[in-house]
Amino acid sequence: MDIVTGKNLIKYYKSFKALDSVSFFIRQGECFSFLGSNGAGKTTLMSMIYGFISPSSGEIKVFGKSLNKKNLPEIKQKIGVIPQDNNLDPDLSVLENLIVYARYFNIRKKEAIERAKELLNFVSLQEWSDMNVRKLSGGMKRKLTFIRGLINDPELLILDEPTTGLDPRSRKQIWDRIEILKHSGKTIVLTTHYMEEAEKLCDRIAIMNKGQILVIDTPENLSFKFSGNLEKVYLNMTEE
Ligand code: ATP
């Protein structure tokens, strides 16, 4: 079953075409990556998948349903979003950030606390639970933003550049957790600039450039088809 399908998606910001007839599908349980340079349209596409912005034309379906006003609340209950920026509440503690977020999903406080504690353990942040988020390092903030997106136990996880700016150890820690989530059956969509990240985690990769998808395939097929490693393929395809 396909969890996300996009057909001929076009997005204009005023007269600027940010997405130019993009089509793709993402299967259940798959890890799918949009790989592309700055401004390729990755965030625009991700925001469309969770209903934050609408296409100018074309059709997008999530869990087989159109993202209209009627369907959106039900669809959002099953999606976890990890945005590019760590938009945490700076006035709250680590635990409070998770509990407040759980309210958007109508999760009762007792259940939210239990779930938040489990998630803090999942990324080894349990000892920082009562700390104000301002005091966390960049890597810790990223981990907190990551687990915040898991508070509703989503079926579909949307990760916008999950490891940008992280040191190699923190990056590896996030990669390990993404692999665990993948093996637990979640469908994962991520954007990245890192070839290694897409290659390591994802079943299929869409290479994007200037609002278009140039190719979609497995990392192995991409390397094979273009007789080179993925980095070479990417650099060749996205050349100015
Ligand atoms: P990055 O890797 O830098 O995050 P991206 O691939 O996610 O880039 P988008 O953020 O989707 O790219 O942006 C695609 C294009 O659309 C860029 O040229 C960007 O400047 C433009 N754009 C994005 N959002 C808006 C907006 N709200 N108004 C006008 N232009 C926008």
Side-chain angles (χ1 to χ4, degrees):
M1 184 194 158
D2 296 335
I3 295 289
V4 186
T5 52
K7 233 189 250 171
N8 303 325
L9 294 170
I10 294 179
K11 178 67 186 177
Y12 281 99
Y13 292 113
K14 295 202 173 127
S15 61
F16 177 73
K17 207 181 213 180
L19 283 185
D20 185 4
S21 205
V22 164
S23 298
F24 64 95
F25 62 86
I26 298 169
R27 299 186 188 107
Q28 184 166 32
E30 163 170 72
C31 180
F32 189 98
S33 165
F34 292 103
L35 177 73
S37 45
N38 291 122
K42 305 179 300 294
T43 300
T44 299
L45 201 45
M46 296 295 250
S47 310
M48 244 174 226
I49 296 174
Y50 61 83
F52 188 67
I53 60 169
S54 308
S56 306
S57 68
E59 185 187 58
I60 183 148
K61 285 189 176 176
V62 180
F63 301 114
K65 292 186 172 169
S66 296
L67 293 171
N68 54 32
K69 264 192 187 157
K70 182 175 158 275
N71 294 334
L72 205 55
E74 184 196 333
I75 291 171
K76 280 193 167 176
Q77 285 288 327
K78 299 194 279 185
I79 300 184
V81 179
I82 290 100
Q84 208 174 101
D85 302 318
N86 299 324
N87 53 352
L88 298 161
D89 189 329
D91 297 324
L92 299 181
S93 73
V94 168
L95 185 67
E96 284 163 348
N97 260 279
L98 296 172
I99 292 166
V100 165
Y101 199 73
R103 283 194 212 144
Y104 294 118
F105 300 97
N106 298 319
I107 301 170
R108 278 177 307 170
K109 191 162 181 192
K110 187 167 171 276
E111 196 185 330
I113 293 172
E114 268 172 36
R115 178 99 189 115
K117 286 185 174 168
E118 268 172 37
L119 290 168
L120 288 168
N121 276 322
F122 182 54
V123 291
S124 309
L125 277 183
Q126 63 277 15
E127 283 169 26
W128 301 84
S129 175
D130 298 326
M131 186 71 76
N132 182 282
V133 293
R134 283 182 224 261
K135 295 187 181 154
L136 299 182
S137 70
M140 286 169 165
K141 283 185 185 146
R142 198 70 196 128
K143 282 188 208 162
L144 180 57
T145 308
F146 177 65
I147 57 169
R148 190 187 60 178
L150 299 173
I151 199 82
N152 56 325
D153 195 17
E155 287 175 37
L156 169 65
L157 204 56
I158 296 179
L159 295 144
D160 199 356
E161 294 184 23
T163 66
T164 297
L166 294 185
D167 67 46
R169 184 181 303 278
S170 301
R171 177 167 302 149
K172 166 111 184 23
Q173 286 169 343
I174 297 272
W175 284 354
D176 290 346
R177 302 311 183 275
I178 293 174
E179 287 202 319
I180 293 171
L181 292 166
K182 186 179 151 185
H183 288 127
S184 75
K186 301 209 183 287
T187 305
I188 298 172
V189 192
L190 66 87
T191 71
T192 185
H193 301 288
Y194 301 120
M195 253 68 57
E196 195 194 347
E197 183 160 289
E199 209 166 9
K200 182 176 163 54
L201 298 173
C202 292
D203 302 301
R204 288 189 306 140
I205 298 170
I207 299 184
M208 292 187 75
N209 193 39
K210 295 182 184 161
Q212 295 185 322
I213 293 182
L214 305 177
V215 64
I216 302 178
D217 215 329
T218 63
E220 298 78 18
N221 283 348
L222 287 173
S223 298
F224 180 72
K225 266 190 202 164
F226 299 95
S227 13
N229 65 26
L230 198 53
E231 179 147 17
K232 221 158 126 190
V233 174
Y234 171 77
L235 290 173
N236 281 339
M237 289 192 127
T238 57
E239 236 166 21
E240 282 301 312

